[in-house]
Amino acid sequence: MCVKSIEAMKRVFQLFLLFIFCFHLSPSVADDKPVVSVGSHTLTESDFKPTEEELASLQEDPMGAERRELQNFTKIVEFVEHHFVRQYAANNNLTASPEFVASFKEAFASEALNGEKLDKLASFAALQFAVDAHLYKTHGGRVVFDHSHPMLPIEAYFNAYKAYSEKQQLVFFDKEIANTWWLGFVRPNAVEIPAGDVDFSVPWWHKLG
């Protein structure tokens, strides 16, 4: 069989899998099953339904399915993180410091990042920092460097998420997704920040000015 024939068959098979994927997620065909919930907020299968543009790119890209799977998992991680931060902050009377919101905007404002988008990002970053500081003060433990979270109190987050899970405030409805998500806290090769260098008095971006 020639290479062109093999490639054609692979494309047909990918389109078939894509059709099954969309059919499975369609709320009009099947129940809109929950994927994960944080408190009263739930992410469901319909939230992953690809747009027409995404469907077209999947058909063009042989690695599209793998990229889509990674994007879906990233969406789960962001969903859990955002709702946990907001709920934890509300439960512990934590707010975003106006000073840190302002310094975030000063550090990252650009032509591409401005206006309402920048406002929301800055407010959430400052609120998340307040949660980071409170969690570390409460639980202590290992702090690691993460590209999107340079001073991440990972052990404190793990303990807090575990407590939420035990109270059914954090629920994964798929065992594989749950296992993959919890494994994200292991990070044996992460750069660990020495306890003497851990400083939650001001956020990292505040020092950029």
Side-chain angles (χ1 to χ4, degrees):
M1 186 178 293
C2 69
V3 174
K4 287 186 177 180
S5 298
I6 293 173
E7 290 300 318
M9 287 178 65
K10 285 170 71 175
R11 283 183 177 273
V12 170
F13 184 63
Q14 287 169 352
L15 289 172
F16 172 73
L17 289 177
L18 193 58
F19 171 76
I20 295 299
F21 176 77
C22 296
F23 181 85
H24 176 65
L25 290 184
S26 175
S28 62
V29 177
D31 292 334
D32 191 11
K33 295 180 181 179
V35 176
V36 60
S37 66
V38 182
S40 60
H41 303 276
T42 302
L43 189 70
T44 66
E45 287 185 348
S46 67
D47 293 313
F48 297 95
K49 187 175 181 181
T51 63
E52 290 184 8
E53 186 177 334
E54 289 170 334
L55 286 175
S57 67
L58 282 169
Q59 294 171 21
E60 299 278 335
D61 184 4
M63 296 296 291
E66 287 82 357
R67 287 197 182 90
R68 180 74 187 170
E69 189 174 336
L70 179 59
Q71 289 171 356
N72 286 348
F73 188 74
T74 300
K75 189 170 186 175
I76 292 170
V77 171
E78 290 176 350
F79 176 87
V80 173
E81 180 183 86
H82 280 240
H83 287 293
F84 170 80
V85 164
R86 296 189 187 285
Q87 187 169 318
Y88 186 91
N91 291 345
N92 292 278
N93 298 314
L94 304 175
T95 58
S97 162
E99 181 184 3
F100 297 157
V101 172
S103 64
F104 186 96
K105 291 180 181 180
E106 186 178 342
F108 297 107
S110 66
E111 289 186 10
L113 182 59
N114 54 62
E116 186 179 353
K117 185 178 180 181
L118 178 61
D119 290 343
K120 287 182 178 179
L121 191 59
S123 295
F124 182 79
L127 184 64
Q128 186 175 41
F129 175 75
V131 170
D132 289 354
H134 190 276
L135 281 172
Y136 186 72
K137 183 179 179 180
T138 304
H139 298 283
R142 187 173 177 237
V143 178
V144 301
F145 173 82
D146 183 274
H147 289 290
S148 63
H149 205 151
M151 193 169 289
L152 171 62
I154 194 167
E155 191 171 344
Y157 267 98
F158 174 81
N159 290 329
Y161 280 129
K162 204 70 178 173
Y164 266 52
S165 179
E166 289 169 357
K167 294 176 183 177
Q168 296 295 296
Q169 288 296 299
L170 170 63
V171 179
F172 288 95
F173 296 88
D174 181 278
K175 190 175 180 180
E176 281 189 28
I177 291 175
N179 289 341
T180 303
W181 190 83
W182 286 109
L183 278 173
F185 291 93
V186 180
R187 304 195 193 187
N189 299 317
V191 176
E192 189 164 342
I193 299 172
D197 294 335
V198 173
D199 178 15
F200 283 107
S201 60
V202 294
W204 59 271
W205 68 80
H206 197 70
K207 302 172 185 177
L208 298 177

